[in-house]
Amino acid sequence: MALQTGKIDAFPSDEIALEMMRGQGSEMTVLEPYMDHYSIGFVFAKNPEGRSLRDEMDAWMTEAKESGVLDKMLDKWLHADEADKYMPDYEDLPAENGTLVFATEAGFPPFDYMRSGEVVGFEVEMAIAFCASRGYGIEIIPMNFDGILPALQSGRIDFSASGFAITPERMESINFSQPYYSGGTKIVVSSSGDVGKLSFFDRILDSIEKTFVREDRWKLFVQGSINTLLITVLSILCGTLLGFAVFLLCRSRGVVINTVTSWFMWLLQGMPMVVLLMILYYIIFGNTSLSGMVISIVGFSLTFGVAALGYTPRRTFFRIILPQALPFMTEPYRGEIISLIKATSIVGYIAVLDLAKMGDLVRSRTYEAFFPLIAVMLIYFILEGILGTLVRVITDRMDPRKRKNGLLLKGVKEHD
């Protein structure tokens, strides 16, 4: 976008991504000389299990190269029509030796990307073929690139591939397989005379078709919105109950309980949300089978509960204190809900396909910066409006000034 609008004159990128951009009709010229060269490999944990699995992968890759299977696979994903880029069935692999968890960014076509709601690509097919040949089942997880290394180190995943360039510095932290692709980085400049081929209206229609219609990408936005809404609503409910329960616990004014609670609140309020989620996912619950969705709800419930206020005993609270307090707490509460919805955009770091992550996946596939971002923004506004309206309706129902006569407390005069 910056190149096309003249804000920059050129930018560097790897040649595979540039070929995909040109295939999507991007208006640019690729300068042929390479800036540098790189080799790409699978990554494994820096431990005995990771080294053993890496050695198995190297053995399989040597066989696949010698038989020509790897070259055919690469040629298919680089040059074939999209309709011919089929994926093998991996759901029912025998898995005599167990199931391996494979993670990828799913945003680096043609190596790994999302198509019709499924993670596909050259690296993904290689991972499936390796597991099938060695008696493993496979579970494929899309996740943010920055979350892959912590996932490897914590044991959440067994191996990964997402365009990892092999470098000496990276080899200090992870085990690389032998390279399966070598390429380079090139410079891109704008194509003279290409801008303006389509009218403004036609370009908008083209963007809409690529962003929402092609490969049923609208389903990604729907799935992401559902995940975002589910995390938000459950976090609000659990966080509110947690905050109320903690306050009741602290009403005894015990020094120990109040000190621990104050320290816990200080810790959560001062910690960036993405750090909390990654600590919960990779460290505290690292050896459990809890999904990223469940841990996201746990993390956001904790932070939302910190904002909850304390209350008096149950009946007095619900019949007297809360109705009087609601008019004053509604706006801060709605503000916390809106903040929570926007904060969920980081859950991609722990392998959750929320609305923001789905937008990123679509942009990586279409190279359209404008429409996926606008779509995500509008959906966030809609979700915020729906939940904000729901809170307002609930508040109005509980406001004593808006109660019907039959709901007034006995012994209380209507005009007192």
Side-chain angles (χ1 to χ4, degrees):
M1 291 291 288
L3 185 70
Q4 293 172 1
T5 56
K7 293 185 179 297
I8 60 174
D9 299 307
F11 68 88
S13 184
D14 65 87
E15 60 179 341
I16 291 297
L18 297 178
E19 288 301 319
M20 296 299 296
M21 291 181 193
R22 281 202 287 205
Q24 294 291 338
S26 299
E27 300 155 347
M28 62 185 193
T29 297
V30 179
L31 305 183
E32 287 308 314
Y34 284 106
M35 293 182 63
D36 64 2
H37 293 80
Y38 57 79
S39 294
I40 296 175
F42 282 85
V43 294
F44 304 83
K46 195 82 169 180
N47 56 36
E49 293 79 11
R51 284 192 293 272
S52 176
L53 193 59
R54 186 271 313 272
D55 292 341
E56 287 190 67
M57 172 63 79
D58 282 345
W60 172 83
M61 205 175 294
T62 298
E63 297 169 5
K65 287 179 179 179
E66 292 175 350
S67 65
V69 169
L70 205 62
D71 289 337
K72 292 179 181 179
M73 200 180 296
L74 177 61
D75 184 67
K76 177 182 72 175
W77 289 101
L78 290 182
H79 304 117
D81 293 334
E82 194 64 34
D84 296 325
K85 296 178 180 180
Y86 56 87
M87 284 290 294
D89 182 18
Y90 62 90
E91 297 291 341
D92 299 318
L93 292 179
E96 300 99 341
N97 298 321
T99 298
L100 299 180
V101 181
F102 170 76
T104 183
E105 166 75 12
F108 183 48
F111 287 85
D112 53 82
Y113 59 99
M114 191 75 74
R115 183 181 67 191
S116 301
E118 179 187 16
V119 182
V120 301
F122 173 52
E123 294 172 328
V124 183
E125 185 174 1
M126 275 196 297
I128 295 171
F130 161 69
C131 289
S133 70
R134 293 305 190 263
Y136 294 111
I138 185 171
E139 178 184 356
I140 300 173
I141 298 179
M143 68 190 318
N144 276 24
F145 187 88
D146 293 339
I148 291 176
L149 180 57
L152 275 174
Q153 294 174 335
S154 67
R156 277 277 178 180
I157 62 175
D158 297 297
F159 68 123
S160 174
S162 194
F164 282 97
I166 303 173
T167 67
E169 186 173 17
R170 287 180 172 177
M171 291 174 68
E172 296 175 4
S173 302
I174 51 181
N175 283 314
F176 276 96
S177 71
Q178 61 175 280
Y180 51 81
Y181 178 81
S182 295
T185 303
K186 294 183 177 181
I187 287 286
V188 184
V189 297
S190 179
S191 296
S192 175
D194 285 348
V195 178
K197 281 184 177 180
L198 297 177
S199 67
F200 176 75
F201 182 71
D202 289 336
R203 291 166 72 176
I204 289 180
L205 291 180
D206 182 63
S207 296
I208 292 175
E209 191 274 334
K210 286 196 291 187
T211 301
F212 301 109
V213 180
R214 193 176 300 177
E215 297 178 0
D216 292 331
R217 290 172 187 151
W218 62 270
K219 295 180 180 179
L220 298 179
F221 289 97
V222 172
Q223 180 185 345
S225 299
I226 292 173
N227 290 342
T228 294
L229 192 60
L230 183 62
I231 292 172
T232 302
V233 171
L234 291 180
S235 297
I236 291 170
L237 295 175
C238 295
T240 302
L241 293 174
L242 176 63
F244 182 44
V246 170
F247 180 82
L248 291 179
L249 181 65
C250 294
R251 287 189 66 247
S252 63
R253 292 181 172 84
V255 176
V256 176
I257 293 178
N258 281 277
T259 300
V260 171
T261 302
S262 298
W263 178 84
F264 187 68
M265 292 175 64
W266 168 82
L267 183 65
L268 288 180
Q269 290 172 338
M271 185 184 302
M273 193 63 220
V274 66
V275 176
L276 174 61
L277 287 180
M278 295 183 76
I279 288 175
L280 290 173
Y281 188 72
Y282 297 117
I283 299 177
I284 296 178
F285 298 108
N287 295 323
T288 70
S289 59
L290 292 179
S291 67
M293 178 75 74
V294 173
I295 292 176
S296 296
I297 294 171
V298 171
F300 285 109
S301 296
L302 290 174
T303 55
F304 195 82
V306 165
L309 298 175
Y311 314 108
T312 55
R314 185 179 63 86
R315 183 173 177 82
T316 305
F317 166 72
F318 282 108
R319 298 300 300 273
I320 301 176
I321 303 298
L322 180 61
Q324 296 181 71
L326 275 175
F328 302 99
M329 63 178 286
T330 299
E331 289 306 314
Y333 196 76
R334 288 180 63 244
E336 288 292 330
I337 290 175
I338 293 173
S339 297
L340 178 61
I341 294 175
K342 293 185 288 188
T344 60
S345 62
I346 62 175
V347 296
Y349 282 94
I350 58 172
V352 178
L353 296 177
D354 70 308
L355 177 57
K357 179 63 177 177
M358 289 302 193
D360 289 341
L361 294 178
V362 170
R363 286 193 294 121
S364 70
R365 187 77 175 95
T366 65
Y367 297 102
E368 286 280 348
F370 178 72
F371 268 90
L373 288 176
I374 294 299
V376 169
M377 179 193 70
L378 292 176
I379 294 173
Y380 270 119
F381 273 119
I382 292 172
L383 295 180
E384 292 167 7
I386 291 173
L387 292 180
T389 301
L390 182 61
V391 171
R392 187 179 296 110
V393 170
I394 294 174
T395 303
D396 289 345
R397 293 290 301 273
M398 298 185 70
D399 191 337
R401 295 170 297 182
K402 299 180 180 180
R403 284 179 178 167
K404 297 179 180 179
N405 290 344
L407 297 178
L408 291 174
L409 294 176
K410 295 180 179 179
V412 176
K413 297 180 179 179
E414 183 176 353
H415 301 291
D416 278 2

